[in-house]
Amino acid sequence: MMRGTTARHLRVVANGAVTAAVSMGAAAVLLTGCGKTVVAGQAGHGQDPAPPGTAQPCPVTDPAAPQAAPTQIDGTPANTPEGERLSQAIGDQGYGAFADVYSTQITDHPAGRVALCVTDLARGRLLVAAAHAADPQADPARADLYLSTYSHKTLQAAGDKVIGLEAGFPIYTVSGSHGAAVEVTTTEEGAASPGFKARLEKATGGIPVTVTKGPQPLPALDAPKTAAP
């Protein structure tokens, strides 16, 4: 598994069909399964990368940057075992009891550490403690906390309002964007339309929406039909 973000795509829209796209411990752009190098907000070595009141925003990944796997397992690029273990433990709590503050996380940022993005640092520390309590072998000292504007839960609810919206252009995918916005892909014309963006943000209730051109998803394959006996 390549270095990447532990996150969940909100939905994927393809030719009118809506499907969930979930990936734990996967990459920043989860449809590809490839890790993305982080180019902003490098993590420190401690539970908070900055003093209280000056916490850094959630790191942003650059899809065009070269990929860099932190380690290899049997010759295969992979996350470090310690980073992956902590990331899994944090995710279990983040999508459970701490869904009100959990936004996203980046495994091995830097190698062996987990960048955890939350909407409240105090609750974020409790999240890390709960992850350690659930899995004592997950080292809480390897977590670095960052601030996000929105939780994953909030962005998912906003994304649900966008899916299926008749806004003048097709919507290919809807996802969260490092706790800062709902991210939509569409046609080149839709990405260039201020009116389309405005309609989307009206649907989300004012939560920011970033609109980019994206490839149209392939239609879902129908299950093979069997002949009647």
Side-chain angles (χ1 to χ4, degrees):
M1 182 185 302
M2 296 287 287
R3 168 186 179 178
T5 300
T6 300
R8 301 187 183 191
H9 261 274
L10 307 184
R11 296 288 187 273
V12 176
V13 183
N15 290 350
V18 179
T19 59
V22 178
S23 179
M24 290 298 299
V29 180
L30 302 182
L31 297 177
T32 67
C34 297
K36 303 299 179 184
T37 301
V38 175
V39 296
Q42 291 295 325
H45 295 281
Q47 204 164 64
D48 293 343
T54 59
Q56 299 176 27
C58 189
V60 180
T61 56
D62 180 5
Q67 299 171 18
T71 189
Q72 291 194 355
I73 297 178
D74 296 330
T76 301
N79 289 114
T80 62
E82 58 270 30
E84 187 68 24
R85 181 152 199 155
L86 177 60
S87 183
Q88 182 62 54
I90 286 175
D92 290 343
Q93 298 298 319
Y95 291 111
F98 292 86
D100 59 321
V101 296
Y102 176 82
S103 180
T104 188
Q105 66 198 89
I106 305 174
T107 307
D108 288 317
H109 177 58
R113 304 189 66 79
V114 175
L116 170 60
C117 303
V118 291
T119 59
D120 179 87
L121 291 179
R123 286 274 290 158
R125 295 185 193 99
L126 293 177
L127 189 165
V128 174
H132 176 59
D135 181 1
Q137 305 220 3
D139 184 1
R142 292 182 175 276
D144 298 310
L145 269 62
Y146 294 82
L147 276 175
S148 287
T149 306
Y150 303 102
S151 68
H152 174 270
K153 182 178 180 180
T154 297
L155 290 180
Q156 182 173 19
D160 287 343
K161 296 176 182 178
V162 168
I163 294 171
L165 186 69
E166 295 294 334
F169 296 96
I171 296 173
Y172 294 156
T173 63
V174 178
S175 64
S177 178
H178 54 273
V182 173
E183 193 169 272
V184 170
T185 63
T186 182
T187 62
E188 183 174 1
E189 294 77 13
S193 170
F196 181 51
K197 176 181 170 69
R199 288 190 289 274
L200 295 176
E201 290 183 339
K202 182 178 180 181
T204 65
I207 292 177
V209 178
T210 61
V211 186
T212 58
K213 176 187 174 182
Q216 183 174 357
L218 295 175
L221 296 176
D222 293 331
K225 297 181 181 179
T226 57

